[in-house]
Amino acid sequence: MTDPSPDLVIYGSLVSPFVRKVAGVCILKNAGYEIEAVNVFAPPQWFRDISPMKRIPVLRDRSIATEGTGGTIADSSAICAYIEKKHPSPALYPAEAFAHARALFWEEYADTALAMAGGLGIFRPVFFAVTKGEAPDLAKARSTWAEQMPVILDTLEAGLAGEQYFAGGALSIADITIACVLGQIALVAEMPLDNWPGLAAHYAMMSAHPAIAAPYAEADKAIRGPLPEKVQLA
Ligand SMILES: N[C@@H](CCC(=O)N[C@@H](CS)C(=O)NCC(=O)O)C(=O)O
């Protein structure tokens, strides 16, 4: 970012889909930010103090406070909602009430159901194994893809209902979150979406967007060292 000392600091790592989601929202809104690396698996005490659930990301708004818990917000959804208020344009939450709620639902679905299966069931068994010098746990990743993912991908495909975007007929927090969390699978595996053509088109469109592509490229750089080749899920 060009701003040498932006208000917004994101604590975490772009390897996290939730950190990429927050970075993507900042990019879309042209809000200056910087990432301060935190190893969430061995966090320093100051980070535990600002992250009650010991999770990344946490945001700090330096215009509010530069240290301690002041000016900090944990949880990507709370953070993105804050950035929306601070930088309203372009709007990433539909104005119409029902579409707004649908966008929040899809954000939550991606943060929970999709992240549990894709993150805990595919990304971690592959990537955490190789960072420990072990072979990727292909059995776990493949069984998750075969047994848990189809219903989730069916739900997303049905949710799109042939539309370009998930809620309100325009790019929203729903699209950003779904693309970032699906990207967690794509970081470690070839992700065959042929059975879900609407979702495949959505993912292709979103992955090409600079707000998704730039943070993803940083994560990809970090992953390709320990895992030069993506694994096959089928
Ligand atoms: N609901 C949280 C989820 C954040 C989350 O689970 N982050 C992961 C990294 S992708 C984490 O911090 N994990 C730490 C751990 O499992 O101990 C959000 O949206 O910010």
Side-chain angles (χ1 to χ4, degrees):
M1 303 255 68
T2 46
D3 184 347
S5 186
D7 282 350
L8 303 181
V9 184
I10 307 170
Y11 298 112
S13 157
L14 287 169
V15 170
S16 159
F18 307 106
V19 173
R20 293 199 300 279
K21 169 185 163 188
V22 173
V25 166
C26 290
I27 292 169
L28 270 155
K29 289 174 174 291
N30 203 19
Y33 70 96
E34 64 186 30
I35 306 251
E36 187 170 323
V38 170
N39 175 3
V40 72
F41 299 108
Q45 187 57 45
W46 66 262
F47 183 77
R48 289 175 183 272
D49 294 342
I50 63 172
S51 183
M53 291 181 282
K54 199 174 80 63
R55 294 274 190 272
I56 54 171
V58 172
L59 181 84
R60 175 182 298 285
D61 186 339
R62 286 182 178 129
S63 71
I64 295 176
T66 54
E67 57 186 10
T69 54
T72 64
I73 307 166
D75 192 274
S76 66
S77 301
I79 294 167
C80 292
Y82 173 66
I83 297 170
E84 176 78 4
K85 290 282 186 198
K86 192 175 160 96
H87 298 275
S89 180
L92 295 178
Y93 296 75
E96 193 274 319
F98 188 71
H100 180 259
R102 292 300 293 169
L104 296 184
F105 165 72
W106 288 118
E107 177 186 26
E108 177 62 12
Y109 189 73
D111 280 353
T112 52
L114 181 57
M116 288 289 285
L120 300 187
I122 297 175
F123 177 84
R124 287 192 183 195
V126 172
F127 188 63
F128 283 21
V130 295
T131 55
K132 284 190 276 177
E134 298 165 7
D137 187 349
L138 284 181
K140 170 74 179 165
R142 286 176 177 165
S143 71
T144 301
W145 179 258
E147 290 157 27
Q148 292 180 38
M149 286 300 297
V151 67
I152 294 170
L153 299 174
D154 286 349
T155 301
L156 292 170
E157 181 79 8
L160 266 175
E163 300 289 328
Q164 198 177 1
Y165 298 107
F166 273 90
L171 180 70
S172 78
I173 192 67
D175 307 291
I176 296 161
T177 309
I178 289 165
C180 288
V181 181
L182 269 180
Q184 206 64 8
I185 301 172
L187 279 170
V188 296
E190 299 299 338
M191 187 166 63
L193 290 178
D194 316 314
N195 292 341
W196 301 275
L199 185 63
H202 180 271
Y203 184 69
M205 172 186 74
M206 292 303 297
S207 321
H209 195 296
I212 304 297
Y216 180 93
E218 289 299 313
D220 190 63
K221 257 191 255 167
I223 303 287
R224 293 284 75 81
L227 184 74
E229 300 291 326
K230 295 183 183 189
V231 303
Q232 301 293 329
L233 290 171

